[in-house]
């Protein structure tokens, strides 16, 4: 039977900063356990949390003083999520180490909070400024929804909260066909979460050094392109290094020893083509594609 592997998700839980909640929050962060008093029957989200998922704890929100007087809608009645802004005391990034379960023993003093999951802290950021131009709107949306649900867990990819007036407003995301002079607004800085494999830059550097010593250049092993020949001094000793055994395909906790034979010198174009779609192409496969297209072009010109 084919086992379907679901993609890991990112969740957010808002935790207030009042005196009643603070001891529970502190104990939860120290022990790596979080729990809820009850889960509504129609809310299936809690049980969808999986091992390895990321859960963000957004703690203690306040209105930014430099933004003027606090509006009446703050914090959970914002009619337009694209305008939401706040300051957080901290944003804790965690990874789920035990999927949702029901506990029968007390962990916190005030209540049982039987609906629990376990986690480990990956990162902790303090004095976070959530603004429309610096954080993806998914953060604001999840914070608003979690507050409205008394601190329940909310997926970061939840459908955006609709404006109360439900009036369709023409936004900056108009299609290019509707504009006489096509343009798009770009350049905003957004913060997002990514898991990345650790890479050792010394191995690619050594691969390039030895290749240059042997051949006097760094030619692409697929198409034979030379940055030095094409761009002169600016392209001298430049090329990209490709892992023949992709690190992204390793199992979660795997670590490998990369030898120089595991690396290949490639140009940017061929490197892009190798990784354009899964499954990644081998050097031989992308070289075969390149040769086939080049021969076709030569035959047309003949």
């Amino acid at each position: 039977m084919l086992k379907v592997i679901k993609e890991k998700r990112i969740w957010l839980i808002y935790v207030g900063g009042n005196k009643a909640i603070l001891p529970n929050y502190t104990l939860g962060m120290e022990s790596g356990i979080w729990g809820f008093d009850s889960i509504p029957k129609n809310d299936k989200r809690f049980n969808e949390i999986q091992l390895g998922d990321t859960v963000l704890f957004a703690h203690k929100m306040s209105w930014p003083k430099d933004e003027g007087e606090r509006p009446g809608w703050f914090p959970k009645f914002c009619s337009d999520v694209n305008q939401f802004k706040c300051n957080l005391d901290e944003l804790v990034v965690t990874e789920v180490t035990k999927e949702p379960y029901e506990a029968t023993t007390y962990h916190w003093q005030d209540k049982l909070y039987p609906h629990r999951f376990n986690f480990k802290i990956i990162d902790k950021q303090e004095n976070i400024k959530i603004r429309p131009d610096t954080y993806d709107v998914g953060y604001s949306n999840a914070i608003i929804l979690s507050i409205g649900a008394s601190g329940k867990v909310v997926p970061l990819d939840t459908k955006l909260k609709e404006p109360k007036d439900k009036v369709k407003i023409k936004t900056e995301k108009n299609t290019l066909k509707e504009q006489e002079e096509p343009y798009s607004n770009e350049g905003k800085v957004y913060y997002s979460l990514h898991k990345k494999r650790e890479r050792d830059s010394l191995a690619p550097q050594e691969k390039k050094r030895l290749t240059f010593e042997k051949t006097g250049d760094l030619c692409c092993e697929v198409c034979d392109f030379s940055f030095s020949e094409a761009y002169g001094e600016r392209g001298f000793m430049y090329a990209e290094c490709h892992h023949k055994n992709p690190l992204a395909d390793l199992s979660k906790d795997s670590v490998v020893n990369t030898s120089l034979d595991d690396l290949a010198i490639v140009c940017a174009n061929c490197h892009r083509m190798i990784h354009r779609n899964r499954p990644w192409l081998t050097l031989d496969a992308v070289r075969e594609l390149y040769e086939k297209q080049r021969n076709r072009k030569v035959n047309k010109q003949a």
Side-chain angles (χ1 to χ4, degrees), residues 85-221:
K85 58 189 70 172
C86 74
N87 290 346
L88 296 172
D89 269 23
E90 63 182 22
L91 184 66
V92 183
V93 183
T94 72
E95 180 181 326
V96 176
T97 56
K98 185 176 181 179
E99 295 182 349
Y101 61 96
E102 288 196 23
T104 57
T105 57
Y106 276 78
H107 183 68
W108 295 272
Q109 292 185 355
D110 59 335
K111 287 184 180 181
L112 179 60
Y113 302 107
H115 307 282
R116 303 177 186 175
F117 67 89
N118 296 1
F119 62 88
K120 63 179 179 180
I121 295 178
I122 304 299
D123 190 22
K124 182 184 292 186
Q125 303 173 19
E126 298 180 344
N127 302 318
I128 301 297
K129 296 182 179 181
I130 302 293
R131 302 290 189 274
D133 58 345
T134 55
Y135 272 82
D136 187 275
V137 70
Y139 285 83
S140 302
N141 189 58
I143 290 172
I144 294 172
L145 294 176
S146 184
I147 293 174
S150 302
K152 292 295 189 291
V153 63
V154 176
L156 215 63
D157 57 1
T158 300
K159 183 180 179 181
L160 296 185
K161 182 181 178 183
E162 293 286 345
K164 284 187 176 181
D165 54 13
K166 294 185 179 180
V167 176
K168 291 185 178 179
I169 302 173
K170 209 167 189 179
T171 68
E172 294 178 353
K173 295 183 179 179
N174 292 327
T175 60
L176 298 182
K177 291 182 180 179
E178 295 176 344
Q179 303 169 14
E180 292 182 3
E181 296 183 14
Y183 70 90
S184 60
N185 293 322
E186 300 178 311
K188 286 185 178 180
V189 178
Y190 284 94
Y191 292 88
S192 58
L193 290 168
H194 297 279
K195 290 182 180 179
K196 299 178 71 175
R197 288 282 183 181
E198 183 180 21
R199 295 174 183 270
D200 184 1
S201 62
L202 295 180
Q205 289 176 11
E206 183 66 7
K207 176 72 175 182
K208 293 176 184 179
R209 186 186 69 80
L210 290 177
T211 300
F212 187 81
E213 282 187 0
K214 291 179 180 179
T215 66
D217 203 348
L218 295 179
C219 295
C220 176
E221 294 182 32

Side-chain angles (χ1 to χ4, degrees), residues 5-9 50 53:
I5 302 176
K6 296 181 179 179
E7 291 186 2
K8 301 305 180 185
R9 300 179 71 183
Q50 296 185 67
D53 279 2

Side-chain angles (χ1 to χ4, degrees), residues 66-86:
D66 58 348
E67 296 290 339
E69 186 177 352
R70 186 178 75 174
W73 54 259
F74 185 83
K76 62 181 179 180
F77 298 111
C78 182
S79 61
D80 184 359
V81 67
N82 292 287
Q83 300 302 317
F84 182 82
K85 58 189 70 172
C86 74

